[in-house]
Amino acid sequence: MKPNLYICHTAYQVLVDLLRAGRCACENGPHTMVLSASVPDTAALAGRLDATGVVKTVLVDETRWPGTVTGLFAHRRAARAFEKLCGWKLNRAAFENVYIHNDWSVLGRYLQDCRAGYILCEDTFGSTLGPDQHLVTDQRAAADFAAKQRGKGYLYWGDSPWCVRVESEDAARCTLFPADRMVTDSKAKLLESLTDDEKAMVRRVFLTQPLPEKADGATLLLPRSFAADGLMTQAEQDAMFKAVAEKYAVGPLFIKTHPRDTTDYAALFPDAVILERTMPSEVLNFCLPFHFARAVTVQSFVLRGFTAADEKILLTLEEAKKLV
């Protein structure tokens, strides 16, 4: 069997596709993983991924691509321009399957320009089963939808004629596409079934410092940047999270913040374990060798679906401010 190609735009997608690649045996070397420039910490992450032996990475900076091409043989000209500017050319015959989560991206349009035949993966659990599918329905209601189905332009979210299959948490419940285009591939079941070796591999990729040997009764603080949103100054935010930790932290303190939050939490909490802000939250839920006693956050949805703590505490911003 030939290796697969996985195209990733987020750390979550990297996590899922690394695990899937590890379970898909290939006699012809490792699978290939393309990392978009939008993946955080791209170069360092690529090195850790290559070290697993499961995938070999290709870095593609699609921000170099200026836009679309129109006119005669537009798809061929667009593909060549992409290859020249972004430094990567797809050899479709070298791969068994091509997987992508965001086919609306520059890389997704390149696949369509190449007439590549790709599989669209869910970007989050159950996204094909959600009640709001206006992106798909609005696209299908557009006047040029039929022309695009014939290859004159781009279609996204699984509607492209070059999308050969669409994955779903439960294909039998998805009504967006014909049954013969759907396939069930549950990312939730994948993450819930990880072996100890798979969990250790994930930690080697997404954790750049060793975890403490003992973390019984630990607290996980999950801050976000209210200063970046203009809701308070950085000094006020720092004081607030220090007060939250002082009141609610029990045992060793771990901190995992939002990827856009650049606060220096190591300086604020010198005794805490600072987890990578670019690490997908699924690593916390499924891949750590211990369970948190308590998880605390302020005015955030991050604890929705969080399973790695015995107690979850969600404070409003006003409640947190009063602790200072």
Side-chain angles (χ1 to χ4, degrees), residues 8-318:
C8 300
H9 289 82
T10 68
Y12 164 76
Q13 295 170 8
V14 171
L15 169 65
V16 167
D17 288 342
L18 172 66
L19 292 168
R20 297 206 295 178
R23 292 190 176 187
C24 184
C26 179
E27 299 175 355
N28 297 311
H31 301 279
T32 295
M33 181 178 288
V34 168
L35 296 184
S36 157
S38 64
V39 176
D41 195 24
T42 316
L45 179 62
R48 299 194 297 272
L49 286 165
D50 289 342
T52 67
V54 173
V55 295
K56 60 179 179 181
T57 55
V58 175
L59 306 185
V60 177
D61 185 0
E62 73 275 32
T63 62
R64 299 173 182 172
W65 174 237
T68 57
V69 174
T70 59
L72 192 64
F73 302 117
H75 69 281
R76 294 182 187 175
R77 291 164 45 231
R80 290 170 183 166
F82 172 91
E83 291 160 2
K84 180 178 179 180
L85 291 170
C86 300
W88 178 65
K89 181 177 181 179
L90 171 67
N91 177 9
R92 182 62 183 88
F95 301 106
E96 190 76 21
N97 295 305
V98 173
Y99 295 90
I100 188 170
H101 298 253
N102 297 349
D103 68 348
W104 46 264
S105 65
V106 171
L107 279 158
R109 293 196 293 272
Y110 174 62
L111 292 182
Q112 295 184 41
D113 286 329
C114 292
R115 308 312 199 219
Y118 62 87
I119 297 171
L120 180 67
C121 318
E122 285 198 298
D123 192 27
T124 56
F125 295 157
S127 56
T128 57
L129 308 178
D132 181 8
Q133 300 291 346
H134 71 276
L135 293 174
V136 176
T137 55
D138 290 351
Q139 176 174 256
R140 293 174 180 176
D144 60 351
F145 179 68
K148 289 182 175 179
Q149 281 186 305
R150 296 191 296 270
K152 297 181 179 180
Y154 303 109
L155 289 173
Y156 311 123
W157 309 295
D159 272 344
S160 169
W162 312 111
C163 176
V164 295
R165 286 201 301 283
V166 178
E167 292 181 349
S168 173
E169 279 290 303
D170 186 350
R173 291 171 50 209
C174 179
T175 59
L176 286 172
F177 305 96
D180 60 358
R181 290 194 63 209
M182 298 295 303
V183 60
T184 295
D185 190 288
S186 173
K187 311 308 184 289
K189 290 181 179 178
L190 169 67
L191 291 167
E192 290 166 356
S193 66
L194 297 184
T195 66
D196 288 342
D197 286 345
E198 288 172 324
K199 293 177 183 179
M201 177 182 68
V202 168
R203 293 196 297 270
R204 289 194 299 271
V205 169
F206 288 103
L207 298 177
T208 59
Q209 60 177 326
L211 293 172
E213 294 182 4
K214 293 184 179 180
D216 296 338
T219 297
L220 175 66
L221 177 63
L222 296 147
R224 49 167 281 202
S225 183
F226 295 99
D229 294 335
L231 298 175
M232 59 178 62
T233 67
Q234 185 67 51
E236 290 171 336
Q237 176 180 295
D238 293 348
M240 179 184 72
F241 280 122
K242 289 186 75 171
V244 169
E246 184 176 347
K247 180 173 178 61
Y248 290 102
V250 294
L253 178 62
F254 288 70
I255 297 176
K256 165 66 173 74
T257 189
H258 190 278
R260 291 188 294 105
D261 187 352
T262 58
T263 301
D264 186 357
Y265 287 100
L268 279 179
F269 302 96
D271 297 326
V273 176
I274 311 299
L275 300 170
E276 283 69 13
R277 61 187 179 86
T278 56
M279 179 182 71
S281 60
E282 286 77 14
V283 174
L284 297 172
N285 272 345
F286 300 103
C287 301
L288 295 186
F290 56 82
H291 206 69
F292 295 101
R294 179 178 287 180
V296 187
T297 192
V298 177
Q299 201 157 306
S300 170
F301 294 117
V302 69
L303 291 180
R304 182 184 294 175
F306 189 79
T307 61
D310 297 325
E311 180 184 9
K312 297 188 289 187
I313 298 173
L314 170 59
L315 302 173
T316 67
L317 184 56
E318 292 305 314

